[in-house]
Every structure is written in C-alpha cells, then in structure tokens.
C-alpha cells in the first residue's frame, strides 16, 4: 500500500509540475529579427548605420608648454572590431622661453585615424584597443614663423565602440619646439556618441 501511495504521489507531483512549467517568454522589439543579445555583423548594415559621430579633447598639457585641443570626428565601422575615420582638431599651444619671450599658436589640423579592438589585449586590460593616427596642422596665428611637425601617433586605448574612451599615444614624429603637443606622450579623451 505504501508503494502504491508513493507511486501516485510521484505521478501527481510530476503532472502538477508540468502544468506549472512554461516556455520562456521572449519579448521582441517591433521589427526585430533574431536574437537581440547577439552582436550584428556591421558588414551587413547599410553605409549610414556604419557611421559613428563624436569628438573629444586631445593633447592635454598644462604648465610650460600648455597645449589643449578639441576635435570632432566621424568614424566608419569596417568590421565589428575596426573603425577608420577622419577628424578636425583645433589646438591651442603656448610656451614660454624665459627672457626670449613666449609663443602662442592657434592651430587647425586634420587627422586620419584607425582603431582596432584586439581580443588578446582586451582579455588583459578589458575593452582595450590599438590606435594610430596621422595629423597635419596649420598655424592660424601665422606670426610665429614655426612650421609644426605632422604628428604620427600610435598607442592603446580603453573604452567601448560607443561611449567615452581614453587613448594614450606616442608621437613618432615628435621634436621639441616643432610639435603641436607639449610632450611625445599624447592623451586623448573622447569617443563616439551616436
């Protein structure tokens, strides 16, 4: 009798658990296709959806010399891990030479940049990428007579594809007094926001 009671209890419990068991509820956004958690391959997106717009501040150096820059930029997603783009940069530069006086420059520049997420680097640092850019500056003040060098910057950065990023780069073409930056190490803060 005990075995029969145990058998019916298990059978009833098994039937009740099936009644309460449900398939998971999936809520999809209108017009959404596929798994919303899966990253879409950007190569399948139209041109406009592969564009990213943003900007930031660069070449921050305070003291002697002082260097502050602002730069809007447009990037194009080549792949899910690589972005190539262009930007404009306004750079303020001031340096004092003691009894010889000081130099103030207002520079306008263009830049081409490339950013590549590297999975091995991201495992060590987390959301890290390699970056490189080439810049060209013109002196708007035109009273200094200095021809500034064209920075060639390479380095690493932290941040996601969309949002705030921090890049630390080294100017391979740095020469004191001819560079628009106060140091061969250049720090940029900014990113893509839409």
């Amino acid at each position: 009798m005990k075995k029969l009671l145990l058998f019916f209890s298990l059978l009833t419990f098994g039937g009740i658990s099936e009644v309460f068991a449900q398939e998971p509820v999936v809520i999809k956004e209108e017009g959404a296709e596929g798994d919303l958690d899966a990253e879409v391959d950007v190569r399948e997106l139209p041109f406009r959806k592969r564009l990213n717009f943003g900007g930031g501040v660069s070449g921050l150096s305070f003291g002697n010399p002082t260097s502050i820059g602002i730069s809007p930029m447009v990037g194009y997603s080549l792949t899910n891990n690589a972005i190539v783009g262009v930007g404009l940069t306004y750079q303020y530069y001031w340096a004092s030479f003691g009894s010889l006086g000081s130099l103030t420059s207002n520079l306008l520049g263009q830049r081409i940049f490339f950013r590549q997420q590297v999975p091995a680097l991201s495992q060590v640092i987390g959301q890290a990428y390699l970056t490189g850019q080439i810049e060209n500056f013109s002196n708007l003040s035109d009273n200094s007579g200095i021809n500034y060098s064209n920075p060639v910057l390479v380095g690493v950065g932290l941040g996601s594809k969309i949002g705030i990023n921090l890049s630390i780069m080294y100017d391979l073409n740095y020469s004191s007094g001819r560079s628009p930056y106060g140091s061969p190490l250049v720090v940029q803060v900014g990113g893509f926001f839409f």
Side-chain angles (χ1 to χ4, degrees):
M1 185 68 176
K2 288 182 182 182
K3 288 182 182 180
L4 190 59
L5 185 60
L6 180 62
F7 173 74
F8 283 117
S9 297
L10 290 174
L11 188 61
T12 305
F13 178 72
I16 290 174
S17 65
E18 283 184 31
V19 170
F20 290 113
Q22 297 180 11
E23 292 292 319
V25 177
V26 177
I27 300 172
K28 287 189 173 184
E29 201 173 308
E30 188 175 323
E33 297 177 16
D35 186 2
L36 295 178
D37 290 334
E39 186 175 9
V40 176
D41 187 355
V42 297
R43 292 175 288 193
E44 297 173 4
L45 296 175
F47 178 81
R48 171 62 185 104
K49 292 199 177 219
R50 293 172 77 171
L51 290 177
N52 299 295
F53 299 90
V57 294
S58 63
L60 298 175
S61 172
F62 299 100
N64 188 18
T66 296
S67 175
I68 304 168
I70 57 170
S71 64
M73 62 185 176
V74 177
Y76 179 76
S77 297
L78 294 173
T79 67
N80 285 12
N81 295 326
I83 295 176
V84 64
V86 296
L88 290 174
T89 301
Y90 167 77
Q91 191 79 22
Y92 170 81
Y93 181 81
W94 174 87
S96 175
F97 302 105
S99 63
L100 298 175
S102 65
L103 169 70
T104 302
S105 295
N106 294 291
L107 307 174
L108 183 62
Q110 309 85 31
R111 65 183 171 133
I112 299 171
F113 63 90
F114 180 76
R115 187 167 86 180
Q116 173 72 46
Q117 297 264 338
V118 179
L121 186 60
S122 293
Q123 288 177 356
V124 175
I125 302 175
Q127 291 201 346
Y129 56 87
L130 297 176
T131 187
Q133 64 188 39
I134 299 171
E135 301 178 335
N136 179 31
F137 284 98
S138 300
N139 192 348
L140 299 176
S141 303
D142 210 62
N143 59 357
S144 66
I146 294 177
N147 291 325
Y148 287 95
S149 63
N150 294 325
V152 177
L153 306 169
V154 294
V156 296
L158 289 173
S160 60
K161 188 174 176 180
I162 301 292
I164 299 286
N165 295 295
L166 170 68
S167 298
I168 299 173
M169 297 176 286
Y170 185 82
D171 184 355
L172 298 175
N173 204 20
Y174 180 81
S175 67
S176 182
R178 290 200 57 230
S179 176
Y181 299 115
S183 162
L185 285 177
V186 177
V187 176
Q188 289 183 343
V189 178
F192 295 110
F193 304 111
F194 52 96

